[in-house]
């Protein structure tokens, strides 16, 4: 009806009368169907009303379903699918909550100059720059599902399991004015602003709630997040070389966590903090780039020693022998104050 009716007749009449199209663009989508691929109808009793979804999950979950669907095809909807999307929503909401909680008391006086930031913070800014370009491009192309998946992956991979996981210690334990803590908060401020603008078209109620909570915290004007422009991030944040270095670090980190998990299955350890590790990396140029980094902090271990000699008896050895790791139980003592 839409294609043969409204779009077609309005186009024909406008071209005949005014000599131009009545619209700049038309975006159309497939039918909404149930999880079995059947058309929704009262006789089948498989209709899911938007009101029922909103009552159970809230309007933002319904909007996430719309945004995460590939509208070039028919759109499947079920409460099972909505449950999965509710988990994705919780991941995003918890990410924003973590940022707001750890930015408490933030002022621009804390801002650390980009060149003085630690490597991890520079890498997160690099990823912000890359994701920002892609999200803007996807929105311009109406690829909402690609934009949402990219943002969700960024929250899970770069933020939750990397940046937040590594920086929790310094945020909770370092002095308020320590350079490391201020660096982390500087980049958290950037991340929060990016997430709000990226997500506000998809989950407007959540982003507005978060934004107003933050504006109240810093006693700023009560402008809505929906009046903000997309961020134009500095080109200086883009760093391909740093991206390559951190991709290699993430490989090492994955190997370490795999080895820890194997020890955990054998009930030899409970946490990565209980271990010390000997780490062999064959790539000498990479080692030069990371010589000043604290691998114990990056891997969340008690101690990490970079060794020069390769040993086939390591707990994990890469196929081409360019990476090896041995894990042992640390003889340190758990500090009751830190815990």
């Amino acid at each position: 009806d839409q294609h043969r009716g409204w779009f077609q007749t309005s186009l024909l009449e406008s071209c005949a009368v005014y000599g131009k199209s009545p619209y700049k663009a038309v975006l159309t989508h497939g039918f909404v169907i149930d999880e079995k691929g059947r058309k929704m109808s009262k006789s089948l009793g498989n209709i899911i009303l938007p009101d029922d979804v909103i009552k159970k999950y809230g309007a933002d979950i319904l909007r996430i379903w719309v945004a995460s669907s590939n509208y070039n095809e028919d759109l499947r909807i079920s409460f099972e699918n909505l449950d999965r999307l509710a988990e994705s929503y919780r991941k995003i909401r918890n990410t924003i909550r973590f940022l707001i909680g750890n930015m408490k008391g933030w002022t621009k006086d804390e801002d650390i100059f980009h060149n003085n930031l630690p490597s991890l913070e520079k890498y997160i800014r690099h990823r912000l720059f890359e994701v920002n370009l892609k999200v803007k491009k996807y929105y311009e192309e109406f690829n909402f599902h690609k934009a949402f998946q990219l943002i969700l992956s960024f929250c899970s991979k770069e933020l939750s399991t990397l940046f937040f996981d590594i920086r929790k210690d310094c945020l909770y334990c370092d002095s308020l004015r320590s350079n490391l803590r201020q660096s982390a908060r500087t980049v958290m401020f950037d991340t929060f602003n990016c997430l709000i603008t990226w997500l506000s078209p998809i989950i407007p109620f959540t982003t507005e709630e978060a934004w107003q909570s933050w504006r109240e915290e810093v006693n700023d004007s009560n402008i809505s997040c929906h009046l903000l422009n997309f961020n134009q991030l500095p080109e200086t944040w883009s760093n391909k070389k740093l991206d390559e270095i951190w991709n290699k670090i993430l490989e090492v980190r994955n190997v370490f966590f795999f080895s820890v998990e194997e020890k955990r299955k054998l009930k030899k350890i409970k946490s990565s903090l209980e271990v010390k590790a000997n780490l062999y990396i064959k790539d000498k140029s990479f080692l030069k780039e990371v010589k000043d980094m604290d691998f114990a902090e990056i891997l969340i271990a008690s101690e990490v020693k970079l060794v020069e000699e390769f040993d086939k008896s390591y707990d994990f050895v890469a196929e081409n022998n360019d990476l090896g790791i041995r894990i042992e139980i640390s003889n340190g003592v758990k500090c009751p104050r830190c815990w």
Side-chain angles (χ1 to χ4, degrees):
D1 289 344
Q2 288 179 334
H3 287 85
R4 290 174 297 178
W6 192 87
F7 298 136
Q8 178 91 329
T9 54
S10 59
L11 177 64
L12 291 172
E13 290 175 5
S14 183
C15 288
V17 177
Y18 303 109
K20 62 179 182 180
S21 167
Y23 33 70
K24 292 180 180 178
V26 174
L27 186 149
T28 65
H29 57 78
F31 281 111
V32 177
I33 55 179
D34 68 12
E35 71 272 19
K36 295 179 181 177
R38 299 175 302 178
K39 177 184 174 183
M40 292 198 171
S41 69
K42 289 180 182 176
S43 59
L44 288 174
N46 63 344
I47 292 175
I48 294 178
L49 295 173
D51 274 356
D52 293 338
V53 176
I54 291 169
K55 284 174 186 173
K56 184 174 180 181
Y57 301 100
D60 276 357
I61 303 293
L62 184 60
R63 293 179 66 96
I64 284 177
W65 169 75
V66 174
S68 62
S69 299
N70 182 1
Y71 57 79
N72 292 311
E73 305 166 355
D74 287 339
L75 313 178
R76 292 176 184 264
I77 188 168
S78 66
F79 283 109
E80 184 182 346
N81 188 20
L82 291 166
D83 283 338
R84 285 195 296 270
L85 292 173
E87 283 300 314
S88 299
Y89 170 77
R90 268 192 285 275
K91 167 61 71 178
I92 289 170
R93 188 178 178 90
N94 287 339
T95 300
I96 294 172
R97 282 182 64 191
F98 185 88
L99 288 167
I100 292 175
N102 283 284
M103 290 192 303
K104 185 173 178 63
W106 160 265
T107 65
K108 272 291 181 182
D109 295 338
E110 271 190 68
D111 196 71
I112 303 293
F113 184 59
H114 180 74
N115 288 343
N116 295 333
L117 289 173
S119 179
L120 175 58
E121 276 68 20
K122 286 180 181 177
Y123 172 68
I124 297 299
R125 273 191 168 176
H126 165 76
R127 291 295 298 135
L128 283 172
F129 182 87
E130 286 195 324
V131 173
N132 190 55
L133 289 179
K134 287 182 180 178
V135 168
K136 286 202 289 186
K137 177 175 175 286
Y138 290 149
Y139 274 140
E140 287 164 2
E141 296 171 348
F142 307 112
N143 279 325
F144 308 115
H145 64 289
K146 286 186 178 180
F148 179 74
Q149 288 304 321
L150 180 61
I151 297 165
L152 180 62
S153 174
F154 178 72
C155 286
S156 178
K157 184 180 171 186
E158 282 90 345
L159 295 183
S160 182
T161 60
L162 181 68
F163 185 39
F164 296 171
D165 209 21
I166 292 173
R167 287 293 181 249
K168 275 190 293 189
D169 285 353
C170 87
L171 287 166
Y172 300 161
C173 302
D174 282 15
S175 65
L176 294 179
R177 305 302 288 183
S178 80
N179 185 70
L180 192 58
R181 187 173 184 274
Q182 288 183 332
S183 296
R185 279 159 59 95
T186 295
V187 175
M188 283 182 163
F189 176 77
D190 303 325
T191 304
F192 176 74
N193 279 284
C194 286
L195 283 177
I196 292 297
T197 52
W198 294 344
L199 289 165
S200 57
I202 298 175
I203 47 173
F205 298 108
T206 302
T207 49
E208 185 68 7
E209 177 192 357
W211 184 250
Q212 294 307 332
S213 173
W214 167 243
R215 306 312 277 179
E216 191 177 304
E217 166 70 25
V218 294
N219 297 316
D220 211 332
S221 58
N222 198 30
I223 187 174
S224 168
C225 71
H226 303 299
L227 298 176
L228 301 173
N229 292 322
F230 257 86
N231 296 293
Q232 296 292 332
L233 302 180
E235 291 277 350
T236 51
W237 289 13
S238 179
N239 191 328
K240 297 292 184 184
K241 185 178 180 182
L242 189 67
D243 187 56
E244 291 174 8
I245 291 168
W246 272 93
N247 282 334
K248 184 96 175 181
I249 291 172
L250 291 173
E251 284 180 29
V252 173
R253 202 166 184 260
N254 288 336
V255 166
F256 173 76
F257 286 151
F258 172 79
S259 302
V260 167
E261 189 58 35
E262 291 299 301
K263 295 281 187 183
R264 189 184 283 120
K265 286 177 183 176
L266 298 171
K267 302 196 182 302
K268 292 183 177 180
I269 57 169
K270 292 181 181 178
S271 163
S272 64
L273 284 169
E274 294 179 20
V275 308
K276 58 182 179 181
N278 284 353
L279 183 62
Y280 169 81
I281 300 172
K282 187 177 182 180
D283 189 341
K284 301 303 179 188
S285 61
F286 170 72
L287 287 173
K288 285 181 182 177
E289 296 288 351
V290 300
K291 67 180 187 300
D292 295 327
M293 291 190 191
D294 184 353
F295 268 84
E297 180 182 64
I298 293 169
L299 302 182
I300 314 177
S302 286
E303 182 185 345
V304 175
K305 183 180 178 183
L306 293 173
V307 295
E308 296 182 0
E309 296 298 322
F310 177 75
D311 188 336
K312 287 186 178 180
S313 66
Y314 285 155
D315 295 308
F316 177 91
V317 177
E319 286 182 13
N320 49 3
N321 294 345
D322 63 353
L323 179 63
I325 190 165
R326 174 186 288 123
I327 286 179
E328 299 170 352
I329 297 174
S330 172
N331 51 10
V333 179
K334 185 175 176 179
C335 173
R337 177 188 171 275
C338 295
W339 284 85

